[in-house]
Amino acid sequence: MIPKTFREVIDLGDGREISIETGKLAKQAHGSVVVQSGKCMLLCTVVSNYKQSDVDFLPLTVDYREKFAAAGRYPGGFFKREARPSDGEVLTMRLVDRVLRPLFPKDYHAETQVMIQLMSHDENVMPDAMAGLAASAAIQLSDFPFECAISEVRVGRVNGELIINPTREQLKESDIDMVIGASADSVMMVEGEMDEISEEEMVEAIKFAHEAIKVQCEAQLKLAEAFGKKEVREYDPEVEDQELEKKVYDLTYDKVYAIAKAGSAKHERSAAFDAIKEEVKATFSEEELEGIGGLVSKYFYKAEKEAVRNLTLEEGLRLDGRKTDEIRPIWCEIDYLPSVHGSSIFTRGETQALATVTLGTSREANQIDMPSYEGEETFYLHYNFPPFSTGEARPIRGTSRREVGHGNLAQRALKGMVPDDCPYTVRVVSEVLESNGSSSMATVCSGTMALMDAGVQLKKPVSGIAMGLITDTETGKYAVLSDILGDEDHLGDMDFKVTGTADGITACQMDIKVKGLSYEILVKALMQAKDGRLHILEKLTDTIAAPNADVKSYAPKIVTKIIPGEYIGAVIGSGGKVIQELQKETNTTIVINEDPETEEGIVEILGTDQAGIDAVIAKIDAVMFKPEVGSVYEVKVIKMLDFGAVVEYMEAPGNEVLLHVSELAWERTENVSDVVNMGDVFDVKYFGLDPRTRKEKVSRKALLPKPEGYKERPPRNDRGGDRRGGDRRRDNRDRKPRRD
C-alpha cells in the first residue's frame, strides 16, 4: 500500500509552482523530501549520527549529484556509470553547504550527510536553484539541532524585470545571474555574475530574492507541522569551564591585543600568538593538559578573536596596521614567462597570483556534459592553491572543492569582458604562490593583465576586492574592512568578494556569519568595495593600459574562414588526406566545424607563421575556385599529353583543366610541343561545359587574332559523310524488327 504523503505547494507568481512532498521515498533517512517544479524532481535525504565525532568541528558533507537517467541519457566515457562529481555539481554542493553549516550549533560534531539527487530533468528548470530548498526542507523534517529554515533562489533580470528561478533560455537574455541564500530574517549567501550593474541594482535584486525565500521558508514549516514536528535530539555538549576560561582570558587578552596592534607580518604575528599560547600552557602540568588541553586552545582562540575584533571596533586598526578602508601595497608585472602566450604577476601584501593564458582553437573548448546541461566553454579559468602558498606541507589529493569554487568565481568575473568575436579558445590558469587573504580576487587581477598581455581584446579591465565585517550586536558598532587578511576572514562576520570594471559589478560572492545584517551595512560594504576596486584597477592599468594590439610572435595566430557546406568534404579530403597533408606542409592546425543552422563550414586556421596560414587560405580558395564563363585566366602547363596540355589556374593552384590540342592555335597543330611546353604561362578563355564532351572547355586560340585568310572547318556532321565515302547505313525504315 502506498504510504500517506504530505505536500506543500509554493506559487512563484507567474504560473509556475514548486511542490515539496514527503512520506513516500527514503523513509529510513532522518528526513527526506521530493522537490518538484515542472518535470524536474530532486530527492534530498539527510542523516546525522547520534554519537558525537571526536573532532572539534561539524563533519558535514553536502553531496549533490545529477543522474544521467534523469535526462534519458547514458554517462559518457568507457564505464557507463556516474563517477566523480563534475565541477557543476561541486559548485552546487558549495552553494548549499555555505548556507547550512553556520546554522548548526557550534558544539554539534556528529557526522552529518545531506544528499541531493536529480531524479528527473526538465530543460526549462535549473535544478541547482532548488537544492537549498530541498536540503532545508529535509532537515526541518528531522530531529537535528538546526537554527531555522532557509532556502535559495536564483534571480535574473530580463528587459529590466526581475525573475525568480529563470530558465536557461531566459538567462541568456539576462544581465543578472545570482543565487541568494537566506532565512526568513537574514540574507546569508550571495553568489553570481552580472553585466556591469550598479551597487543599488544589486541590492534591489537581493531584496527581491529575499521576499521569495520568505515564502519558501514558510512552506517548509507548514510541511513539518503537517508531517509532525519531531523533538530536537539531545546530544553531548562540549564541556565548559568558566573558571579556566577566565584564567586563559586574563593571561592572554592584553598580550594578544598588543601584538595585534603592532601591525606585524603574517608569520611574525602567528609566531607571536603561538608563543603566548605556549606560555599559557606552561602554567599547567602535563597531566592537567591531558584533560584540559583542548579547552585551553579553545579559550585562547576565543580571547584572540575578541582582542582582534575590539582593536578594530575601538581604534579602527587592523592586524597589519592598516585602517579599515586601506588597501595593502600592490605591485604588478606582465610578460614574466618567456614562452607562454600571456602572463602576469599580481602581488597585494602577502597574497600573490601568477596567471598564464593559452590560446587555442575550438578543439580546445571545455566540454560540459551534465544531465541538466550540455555545452562548451571557449573561455575558462583554472585556479590552483598549493600548500606552499601558506607555508604548509599537506597531502595533495586532486582539485579541491575550494579550488573549483574560487576558479569559477574568477571565471565569471572575467568572461563577460571577452568579446564575442574572439576567435580563440582561451584558457587562464592562476597559480597562487602566496596567500594571506583573497587569492581569488588576486586571480581576477592577474587574469585581467595576462589576458591583455596575450593580446585578447578585453572590452574593459576587471579588478576584484574582498570585504570583511566586524560587528558588536550589543553596542551596534560595526566596521567594514577593505581587502581583508586571512585572519580577518576567520575572525570576522562577513566575507564579501566583489569584482567589476570602472562601470559596474561583474561578479560577487558573499558569506555572512552574523544574523540580521542590515541592508544599510550591505550598501556601505558595496560602496567601500567600489572605492577599493577602482584603486586596484588603477594599479593594473598603470602596468598595462590596454590589450596588446596583437598576440606575441611565438603565440599562434588564428584566422576563421567561412566556406559553403558543399566544400567541407573537399577541404577535408578522403579519410582526411587533404587536411592532414596541408597541416603538415604549412605547420598549422586546421579545425572545421559545421554551423548547424546555416550548414556552412567554419574553418579555423591556427599557426605561428603567417606564411603557413596564408598557404592554407590559398588552398581553400583554390578548392572553392569556380571559373566564370567568358572570363580570362592565367594558367600554367603542368602536364603534356598527345591530345593537349593539362594546365593549372595560377590563382587557384591544384585546379586543373585540359587545354585540347584543337584550342591551342588557329593553325592545325600536329604536336602539342610545337605550341606550348612544360611550365609555360599564358592566358586562356573559359567557355564552361562543352555540350559535346560534357567537360570543361578552355581555349588559348580564342584570345589570339585569326590568321589572314583563315577559313573555319565545317562541323563534323556537315562534311559529306564519313571518310569511307558516304553514309552506307541503311535507312531505319528498311530495318527488320529485332527478334527477342
Side-chain angles (χ1 to χ4, degrees):
M1 184 177 74
I2 298 177
K4 181 181 178 181
T5 59
F6 301 85
R7 191 168 184 264
E8 283 292 325
V9 177
I10 301 165
D11 185 0
L12 294 179
D14 57 0
R16 293 177 299 151
E17 294 179 341
I18 299 176
S19 67
I20 318 172
E21 183 180 279
T22 190
K24 184 180 291 186
L25 303 182
K27 291 186 292 181
Q28 292 193 48
H30 295 163
S32 68
V33 295
V34 173
V35 174
Q36 181 171 358
S37 181
K39 293 186 289 185
C40 176
M41 297 176 69
L42 292 174
L43 169 65
C44 178
T45 58
V46 294
V47 173
S48 186
N49 291 341
Y50 284 94
K51 183 180 179 181
Q52 291 272 66
S53 299
D54 189 22
V55 293
D56 61 352
F57 60 91
L58 172 64
L60 169 66
T61 301
V62 176
D63 192 80
Y64 171 81
R65 300 300 177 101
E66 296 187 354
K67 305 298 183 179
F68 276 86
R73 295 178 51 213
Y74 285 88
F78 185 77
F79 297 102
K80 299 301 180 186
R81 182 175 185 147
E82 290 85 355
R84 65 178 299 276
S86 65
D87 283 0
E89 290 168 320
V90 168
L91 294 171
T92 302
M93 297 175 198
R94 282 174 53 85
L95 286 175
V96 178
D97 185 293
R98 283 157 46 200
V99 183
L100 296 184
R101 190 174 293 272
L103 297 178
F104 285 91
K106 287 186 171 57
D107 61 351
Y108 186 68
H109 301 154
E111 183 82 29
T112 304
Q113 288 184 335
V114 178
M115 300 188 68
I116 311 165
Q117 304 177 59
L118 175 67
M119 308 302 289
S120 177
H121 173 55
D122 185 331
E123 61 182 12
N124 294 316
V125 178
M126 298 183 69
D128 59 341
M130 301 191 300
L133 168 62
S136 177
I139 292 174
Q140 295 307 305
L141 300 173
S142 74
D143 60 351
F144 299 174
F146 192 74
E147 188 171 323
C148 59
I150 62 94
S151 191
E152 294 178 348
V153 299
R154 172 177 274 106
V155 61
R157 187 174 67 175
V158 179
N159 299 324
E161 181 181 353
L162 292 170
I163 306 170
I164 294 296
N165 291 355
T167 66
R168 198 175 294 278
E169 287 300 314
Q170 287 175 318
L171 270 187
K172 293 178 181 178
E173 306 298 325
S174 175
D175 61 353
I176 295 176
D177 177 8
M178 282 198 300
V179 175
I180 291 88
S183 66
D185 300 323
S186 304
V187 174
M188 307 170 67
M189 186 277 299
V190 178
E191 179 162 329
E193 61 185 88
M194 309 90 184
D195 186 10
E196 296 184 279
I197 68 171
S198 68
E199 286 73 14
E200 293 79 8
E201 289 173 310
M202 180 174 168
V203 172
E204 180 188 1
I206 294 173
K207 289 181 177 179
F208 181 76
H210 195 190
E211 292 304 313
I213 287 173
K214 292 177 183 179
V215 176
Q216 297 186 7
C217 290
E218 184 181 355
Q220 295 175 50
L221 299 179
K222 287 181 179 178
L223 181 69
E225 191 67 31
F227 179 72
K229 184 66 177 175
K230 298 178 182 177
E231 291 291 327
V232 176
R233 69 174 62 176
E234 294 183 0
Y235 63 94
D236 296 330
E238 292 180 345
V239 177
E240 299 291 346
D241 188 332
Q242 293 183 353
E243 184 178 339
L244 177 63
E245 181 178 0
K246 185 177 186 306
K247 179 179 180 179
V248 172
Y249 181 89
D250 292 342
L251 287 171
T252 61
Y253 180 85
D254 290 338
K255 294 178 180 179
V256 169
Y257 193 97
I259 292 171
K261 190 174 179 178
S264 53
K266 174 184 176 181
H267 291 294
E268 180 185 345
R269 183 171 62 248
S270 296
F273 285 157
D274 288 342
I276 296 173
K277 185 177 179 180
E278 292 303 316
E279 288 178 13
V280 174
K281 287 185 174 181
T283 63
F284 301 94
S285 66
E286 291 187 7
E287 291 77 10
E288 288 176 315
L289 287 177
E290 286 182 7
I292 64 172
L295 284 177
V296 171
S297 297
K298 173 184 174 180
Y299 294 145
F300 174 79
Y301 173 77
K302 191 173 180 179
E304 177 189 9
K305 180 177 180 179
E306 185 176 338
V308 171
R309 291 167 66 89
N310 286 343
L311 173 67
T312 302
L313 289 173
E314 294 170 7
E315 301 190 45
L317 294 177
R318 302 163 65 179
L319 286 170
D320 56 358
R322 284 181 292 147
K323 297 177 182 177
T324 57
D325 60 351
E326 192 175 347
I327 311 297
R328 288 173 287 176
I330 294 171
W331 67 265
C332 310
E333 183 178 339
I334 60 167
D335 200 20
Y336 177 73
L337 300 173
S339 61
V340 303
H341 300 164
S343 64
S344 76
I345 303 172
F346 177 83
T347 307
R348 183 192 58 238
E350 296 173 299
T351 297
Q352 183 178 76
L354 169 64
T356 60
V357 171
T358 307
L359 306 175
T361 67
S362 60
R363 189 179 294 165
E364 281 71 51
N366 185 36
Q367 301 298 321
I368 301 174
D369 184 21
M370 296 175 63
S372 62
Y373 177 66
E374 292 179 88
E376 62 181 27
E377 295 172 327
T378 55
F379 173 80
Y380 50 99
L381 186 150
H382 293 149
Y383 165 101
N384 296 318
F385 190 86
F388 67 77
S389 65
T390 54
E392 297 175 284
R394 49 183 163 79
I396 300 172
R397 296 190 175 96
T399 306
S400 68
R401 291 187 179 187
R402 180 181 180 277
E403 288 172 307
V404 172
H406 280 29
N408 179 67
L409 174 61
Q411 177 176 323
R412 300 176 86 174
L414 292 170
K415 73 177 185 180
M417 292 300 110
V418 177
D420 295 335
D421 59 356
C422 178
Y424 294 99
T425 290
V426 181
R427 180 185 185 229
V428 180
V429 178
S430 173
E431 306 290 349
V432 178
L433 306 181
E434 295 181 52
S435 180
N436 184 17
S438 195
S439 54
S440 62
M441 296 297 93
T443 293
V444 172
C445 297
S446 60
T448 290
M449 293 187 293
L451 287 165
M452 294 198 291
D453 179 53
V456 177
Q457 300 302 303
L458 287 186
K459 300 173 187 176
K460 299 171 190 174
V462 181
S463 64
I465 188 170
M467 307 297 293
L469 175 70
I470 293 178
T471 59
D472 186 334
T473 54
E474 293 183 3
T475 64
K477 290 182 179 179
Y478 70 90
V480 176
L481 311 180
S482 296
D483 181 24
I484 59 174
L485 302 170
D487 287 340
E488 290 172 332
D489 184 4
H490 301 314
L491 302 175
D493 299 321
M494 180 179 73
D495 179 14
F496 192 2
K497 302 179 179 72
V498 189
T499 73
T501 68
D503 298 318
I505 299 171
T506 60
C508 74
Q509 184 182 92
M510 177 173 70
D511 293 305
I512 302 170
K513 308 166 192 175
V514 62
K515 286 181 64 177
L517 178 69
S518 69
Y519 284 104
E520 175 190 350
I521 297 177
L522 180 58
V523 171
K524 177 175 171 54
L526 280 168
M527 298 313 296
Q528 191 169 315
K530 181 179 181 180
D531 294 338
R533 279 195 296 108
L534 295 178
H535 169 78
I536 296 170
L537 190 60
E538 186 177 347
K539 299 293 184 182
L540 305 186
T541 53
D542 284 347
T543 305
I544 179 168
N548 289 331
D550 201 356
V551 299
K552 299 182 186 299
S553 58
Y554 49 83
K557 289 79 177 171
I558 191 167
V559 173
T560 302
K561 188 175 180 64
I562 307 298
I563 65 174
E566 60 194 89
Y567 290 106
I568 294 176
V571 173
I572 295 174
S574 177
K577 181 179 180 182
V578 173
I579 197 171
Q580 290 172 7
E581 289 182 355
L582 192 55
Q583 289 181 117
K584 185 176 180 181
E585 292 170 2
T586 60
N587 196 27
T588 59
T589 299
I590 306 170
V591 178
I592 303 180
N593 296 307
E594 184 177 0
D595 189 315
E597 295 181 1
T598 64
E599 297 186 351
E600 292 179 318
I602 304 171
V603 185
E604 299 173 16
I605 309 155
L606 190 82
T608 56
D609 182 14
Q610 188 62 45
I613 294 175
D614 292 341
V616 175
I617 294 174
K619 176 64 176 178
I620 294 173
D621 288 340
V623 170
M624 296 192 301
F625 175 74
K626 275 188 176 182
E628 296 182 4
V629 175
S631 297
V632 176
Y633 298 95
E634 188 176 44
V635 297
K636 179 180 180 180
V637 177
I638 60 171
K639 188 184 293 185
M640 300 286 286
L641 303 171
D642 291 341
F643 48 86
V646 178
V647 296
E648 179 183 63
Y649 293 100
M650 295 294 288
E651 64 181 89
N655 275 265
E656 305 169 358
V657 65
L658 174 65
L659 175 58
H660 194 266
V661 64
S662 63
E663 297 297 333
L664 286 172
W666 292 105
E667 297 84 357
R668 181 179 179 82
T669 303
E670 295 295 340
N671 297 307
V672 175
S673 57
D674 293 341
V675 180
V676 297
N677 292 293
M678 283 288 293
D680 284 356
V681 176
F682 48 84
D683 290 341
V684 295
K685 187 174 182 179
Y686 181 73
F687 287 93
L689 292 179
D690 188 320
R692 185 172 60 85
T693 64
R694 305 304 299 168
K695 294 182 179 179
E696 289 183 301
K697 177 181 177 181
V698 293
S699 175
R700 176 177 177 270
K701 74 178 185 181
L703 300 177
L704 301 175
K706 289 185 182 181
E708 189 175 345
Y710 177 80
K711 292 183 180 180
E712 292 280 359
R713 297 177 65 189
R716 187 177 299 274
N717 58 357
D718 291 337
R719 295 180 191 171
D722 64 16
R723 295 178 181 176
R724 292 175 292 177
D727 189 353
R728 298 182 180 178
R729 292 179 299 175
R730 292 182 300 173
D731 190 284
N732 289 337
R733 291 172 296 180
D734 298 333
R735 293 182 181 174
K736 296 180 180 180
R738 179 182 297 173
R739 292 183 180 178
D740 292 334

